[in-house]
Amino acid sequence: MLLRLSAADARVISRGIAVLCVAIAVGVVAVDNQLNRLTARHEFGQVLNVRREASGYYRAYVFGQSWGVRAVYPVGSITNSDGAITLEVGGRRLTVPTAARVELDRAAYWLEVWRGQFVSAAVRTKLELAAYWDELRRLVRGLMDDVKR
């Protein structure tokens, strides 16, 4: 005994199954996303991945197999100390000083002498300007008194 569905019933059932499949897919994606956020891990499948590690190796992952190639070959060394940087290549060494010593005693002496000269000239100029100002004030007061009369 074979039951036949009408076209309208078949459409309703197929739409229901399609909506169910979409709801399941959306639910799986949402659960996977929440699980990844919760565990702070992002699981994914890798077909090809090339990485450089801190130790100077390049690693290639292809379909779960790993191959490594060393990318760093020691050529020389750089050493840093308190007063110099030393570069050593092929048995030869070059040292570059990083702390330079400068003698400023003579310059400080002359700067102090010039400062003293400047201060004495500034004081002398101030006194002269005060004298000129007093003289000018007397002159202006005299003119003002003449205008008032």
Side-chain angles (χ1 to χ4, degrees):
M1 182 170 226
L2 185 64
L3 294 175
R4 291 236 171 223
L5 295 174
S6 66
D9 290 339
R11 255 184 275 135
V12 170
I13 291 173
S14 64
R15 282 185 197 157
I17 291 174
V19 168
L20 179 66
C21 289
V22 169
I24 290 172
V26 168
V28 167
V29 168
V31 167
D32 186 48
N33 193 8
Q34 289 298 324
L35 187 61
N36 286 340
R37 286 184 184 170
L38 180 66
T39 60
R41 289 184 62 188
H42 297 284
E43 298 294 332
F44 55 91
Q46 286 186 353
V47 175
L48 174 66
N49 185 7
V50 178
R51 257 183 221 179
R52 182 178 186 276
E53 296 176 356
S55 60
Y57 282 95
Y58 282 97
R59 290 228 177 262
Y61 297 94
V62 180
F63 294 114
Q65 299 293 324
S66 172
W67 290 285
V69 176
R70 184 168 185 176
V72 176
Y73 295 99
V75 175
S77 66
I78 298 176
T79 308
N80 186 14
S81 65
D82 290 338
I85 294 177
T86 303
L87 175 67
E88 187 172 344
V89 177
R92 296 181 184 232
R93 179 178 292 172
L94 173 67
T95 302
V96 179
T98 57
R101 181 179 165 101
V102 179
E103 295 291 332
L104 297 176
D105 294 339
R106 186 174 174 137
Y109 167 77
W110 284 111
L111 286 173
E112 187 62 32
V113 168
W114 291 337
R115 185 186 74 79
Q117 290 173 353
F118 175 78
V119 168
S120 65
V123 168
R124 188 173 51 249
T125 303
K126 179 182 174 186
L127 294 174
E128 289 174 3
L129 283 175
Y132 289 143
W133 179 249
D134 287 341
E135 191 175 318
L136 184 63
R137 189 178 330 158
R138 279 193 298 256
L139 179 67
V140 168
R141 283 193 191 236
L143 287 174
M144 287 174 58
D145 290 342
D146 290 343
V147 169
K148 285 181 185 178
R149 290 190 215 166

